[in-house]
Amino acid sequence: MLAADPEQAIAAPPAIAARQLNHYFGTGNLRKQALFDINLAIVPGEIVIMTGPSGSGKTTLLTLMGGLRSAQEGSLQVLGQEVCGASKADLIALRRHIGYIFQAHNLMGFLTAKQNVRMALELCDDGRIDLDGAAIALLEAVGLGHRLDYYPDSLSGGQKQRVAIARALVNRPQIVLADEPTAALDKQSGREVVELMRALAKENGCTILLITHDNRILNIADRIVYMEDGRLVSPT
């Protein structure tokens, strides 16, 4: 949870800290640099929106911060764990503390809403959790208590993203990473989704990093950072 004393919150170590971070794709003559000298610190409980042109490196940076691949050069610490040069086992352990929400909700079409959320719990089950109870509670929190047994094909785009939010938050992650979560939604549904994400994350003291091109939701952020050509820059 967030510290009650603002001075304690300021003193808390960053949830994410990148220093002189560089990343490359390919090898030999085909090697191409994707990220250049990224320096960024995100404190626990902060909501940061990252924006910028397509192809600027936003998703690459998000995948590194999410432990989906090992960082290559510089330093990237996530929840105190160094990701640069991290082993596969270290990345797997780190991912247990991170929730992911994507533009394509990535729900399992053969599972109901409740089963999709419960599946996320099962991956981290220590035998002490009421799996059905926890899944139902989160779906009720996102306004889908009446859609527990519906399959994704029977849900609207906004409802699918609500299931994805419940799935991402059900394990009470310390960080939530969202990549264009409103891109496929209309204005009202998109706004409802990000407001819901913000409320639930704040309630749990969770840090959010959200990539978006959607100017309609920028005001939910505590801070906005801008990326262009693989670099964090000040917007003109």
Side-chain angles (χ1 to χ4, degrees):
M1 297 296 291
L2 290 174
D5 185 342
E7 293 185 359
Q8 292 180 8
I10 293 172
I16 300 172
R19 299 180 185 88
Q20 297 299 115
L21 179 66
N22 296 288
H23 195 73
Y24 307 83
F25 290 115
T27 59
N29 293 333
L30 297 178
R31 191 175 193 235
K32 181 179 179 181
Q33 190 163 357
L35 299 177
F36 299 80
D37 297 327
I38 302 296
N39 291 285
L40 179 66
I42 301 175
V43 301
E46 189 176 16
I47 298 176
V48 174
I49 282 182
M50 183 181 299
T51 189
S54 297
S56 59
K58 302 185 301 297
T59 296
T60 297
L61 182 55
L62 196 78
T63 60
L64 295 180
M65 291 176 169
L68 298 177
R69 58 164 60 99
S70 175
Q72 296 169 337
E73 190 176 286
S75 175
L76 175 59
Q77 293 191 351
V78 180
L79 301 175
Q81 169 72 47
E82 179 58 62
V83 178
C84 192
S87 68
K88 183 177 180 180
D90 288 338
L91 294 178
I92 290 173
L94 176 63
R95 291 197 292 266
R96 293 179 179 272
H97 303 284
I98 299 174
Y100 306 89
I101 304 169
F102 301 103
Q103 174 182 346
H105 45 76
N106 295 331
L107 299 180
M108 297 293 185
F110 55 88
L111 299 178
T112 65
K114 182 178 74 174
Q115 290 168 339
N116 265 282
V117 177
R118 179 190 162 113
M119 181 182 66
L121 277 171
E122 290 172 345
L123 297 175
C124 301
D125 182 25
D126 60 5
R128 295 179 295 176
I129 301 174
D130 174 4
L131 301 181
D132 278 340
I136 291 170
L138 252 295
L139 286 167
E140 288 176 344
V142 300
L144 290 179
H146 61 306
R147 293 287 189 270
L148 299 176
D149 297 318
Y150 281 57
Y151 290 90
D153 284 348
S154 300
L155 300 174
S156 69
Q159 289 172 336
K160 291 173 185 176
Q161 279 297 51
R162 287 169 180 261
V163 177
I165 290 171
R167 182 181 60 185
L169 294 177
V170 73
N171 283 313
R172 295 186 176 273
Q174 292 172 261
I175 295 173
V176 169
L177 302 176
D179 193 353
E180 299 284 4
T182 66
L185 304 179
D186 60 39
K187 179 179 179 180
Q188 180 177 348
S189 296
R191 188 73 196 183
E192 289 174 352
V193 161
V194 294
E195 289 287 1
L196 184 61
M197 190 187 312
R198 176 172 67 170
L200 291 175
K202 285 293 189 183
E203 180 181 324
N204 291 293
C206 187
T207 302
I208 295 179
L209 177 61
L210 189 156
I211 291 175
T212 189
H213 289 99
D214 189 348
N215 292 331
R216 302 168 301 182
I217 65 171
L218 296 182
N219 62 353
I220 73 154
D222 297 314
R223 180 162 48 118
I224 298 171
V225 297
Y226 186 83
M227 179 167 274
E228 187 172 308
D229 296 329
R231 295 175 170 86
L232 290 177
V233 299
S234 298
T236 57

